[in-house]
Amino acid sequence: MTDATLAQLDALPTDELRDRAFALARQRRDIKFFWDLFTHVTHSDDNTQDGWIGSLDASIDDAVALWREVTGHHYGDAEPLVRAAFIDYIMQHGK
């Protein structure tokens, strides 16, 4: 989406925002984006903090697969934050 406005992006479903943000982050090889999402979504879930997230050797595709496994696409109370992160990323780095 070229020159997307905040209103246009906010009207999209979370899954569409996720797909667009993830594709862009994979293209840019932006592991920091994924790391920030992991830490915000998993910070309250002690079951996900067993050391796997600390490996900096993981590839972007591994990070995406791990995100899907951890979240199951259910964001719970973190969904507004996650949507905002997706929208912000797309607006900052989209073409």
Side-chain angles (χ1 to χ4, degrees):
M1 182 178 282
T2 307
D3 298 324
T5 67
L6 176 61
Q8 289 170 323
L9 290 171
D10 195 38
L12 295 174
T14 302
D15 288 344
E16 175 72 17
L17 292 172
R18 182 199 63 240
D19 290 347
R20 290 177 186 221
F22 277 23
L24 185 56
R26 277 194 301 269
Q27 177 186 5
R28 297 181 75 243
R29 300 185 194 284
D30 190 350
I31 193 72
K32 184 181 182 310
F33 170 74
F34 294 106
W35 177 261
D36 289 343
L37 285 173
F38 286 140
T39 58
H40 283 97
V41 173
T42 64
H43 76 277
S44 63
D45 186 355
D46 291 335
N47 293 328
T48 62
Q49 306 240 341
D50 59 1
W52 57 262
I53 202 164
S55 173
L56 296 178
D57 295 331
S59 71
I60 296 295
D61 289 335
D62 291 337
V64 171
L66 194 54
W67 165 268
R68 290 183 176 148
E69 181 180 326
V70 170
T71 65
H73 302 301
H74 302 287
Y75 308 109
D77 293 339
E79 184 162 359
L81 176 66
V82 170
R83 284 184 58 82
F86 292 156
I87 290 170
D88 184 57
Y89 194 80
I90 294 166
M91 290 185 74
Q92 284 186 29
H93 302 290
K95 295 179 178 151

